[in-house]
Amino acid sequence: MSDQPRPRKRRASATETPRPRRGPVPAHSRDEIAAAAITLTDHEGLAGLSMRAVAAALGTGAASLYRYVTSRDELLGLMTDHAMRELRPYPRGHDQWLDAMLEMSRRQLHLYRRHPWLVDVTQQSPTFGSEALAWLDHCLQVLEPVTASSRAKFEAIAMATGVTTLFARSERASQLALPPIDSHAYPHVARAISADATPKPTDRDLFEDALRSLLVGLLS
């Protein structure tokens, strides 16, 4: 055995900063991730959506999000399904199936107004998550009193969605090409844009008249 003394362990001086210990990775639910991504995209548009940007909004690293969503496309599907929860509670159909379907389309149009990016996402890569299937299921329930075939009902629902999307696109195209406006810093500009984006009674009548004629024509 060697007679040499063992080296003593070096103690950190009072002036040295201790090395940070690794803590647990922050946990986030898929709902939290979807909500943060929706808020971000409502303000920045689809061009501003990225895993890194969503992670920054949640105060975490982008790598941690991949534990919950594997890609940007999966994130978009999650966001779409989360946003479609706003269509609830669904209107009851009973014998007034036409009024109920018009109400479903009105809610869909309002959803597109709140989240303009939804129009592009649903058109480019339509997804059928749980909320989309629930919405479709309710539309078919509303149409149960109608004696048309199942195929005709599916076509009517698809056409009604197409008309709603067309109106949403038309409204968006008619708005001023301005970036998102801070309503606190520029209250008059924000108010003017909001007033211009609000559909006038004639616009709403045109929307409902078009849908009413379409649905009656396809299902009567």
Side-chain angles (χ1 to χ4, degrees):
M1 295 180 60
S2 173
D3 294 333
Q4 293 181 356
R6 295 181 179 179
R8 295 181 180 180
K9 292 183 178 180
R10 180 178 177 274
R11 295 181 179 180
S13 67
T15 58
E16 289 180 330
T17 303
R19 293 181 179 179
R21 295 181 179 179
R22 290 185 178 180
V25 178
H28 298 286
S29 69
R30 283 168 65 89
D31 279 347
E32 289 175 330
I33 293 171
I38 288 172
T39 300
L40 173 69
T41 311
D42 285 346
H43 288 86
E44 303 295 334
L46 284 174
L49 176 67
S50 67
M51 300 291 277
R52 186 182 299 276
V54 176
L58 290 169
T60 187
S64 67
L65 296 190
Y66 286 99
R67 299 164 57 200
Y68 305 93
V69 288
T70 59
S71 65
R72 186 176 183 272
D73 287 341
E74 184 181 351
L75 176 60
L76 286 170
L78 185 65
M79 293 164 57
T80 300
D81 210 52
H82 192 278
M84 287 192 69
R85 295 180 189 178
E86 298 175 28
L87 294 172
R88 296 176 181 268
Y90 302 137
R92 301 177 65 181
H94 298 300
D95 295 331
Q96 305 299 323
W97 66 267
L98 183 55
D99 290 339
M101 287 298 295
L102 290 174
E103 177 61 23
M104 293 286 281
S105 294
R106 278 193 295 267
R107 293 186 186 187
Q108 202 174 27
L109 182 60
H110 289 310
L111 183 68
Y112 287 154
R113 288 171 181 162
R114 290 192 297 272
H115 310 296
W117 52 270
L118 261 177
V119 176
D120 296 324
V121 172
T122 54
Q123 290 296 296
Q124 293 173 5
S125 55
T127 57
F128 272 89
S130 58
E131 287 299 319
L133 286 172
W135 179 86
L136 177 61
D137 187 79
H138 186 76
C139 287
L140 292 170
Q141 178 186 349
V142 166
L143 295 177
E144 280 187 344
V146 181
T147 57
S149 67
S150 295
R151 179 174 180 177
K153 292 177 182 180
F154 276 114
E155 289 176 350
I157 294 169
M159 291 294 289
T161 298
V163 169
T164 303
T165 302
L166 180 63
F167 269 80
R169 282 188 178 279
S170 177
E171 288 181 358
R172 190 174 64 178
S174 65
Q175 294 176 8
L176 294 174
L178 290 175
I181 299 299
D182 185 339
S183 59
H184 296 289
Y186 313 104
H188 297 88
V189 177
R191 191 157 51 243
I193 294 175
S194 176
D196 185 66
T198 303
K200 300 173 179 57
T202 53
D203 296 333
R204 185 165 54 250
D205 292 343
L206 178 60
F207 174 69
E208 294 188 5
D209 287 347
L211 281 174
R212 188 181 298 273
S213 298
L214 174 71
L215 291 170
V216 171
L218 290 174
L219 298 173
S220 296

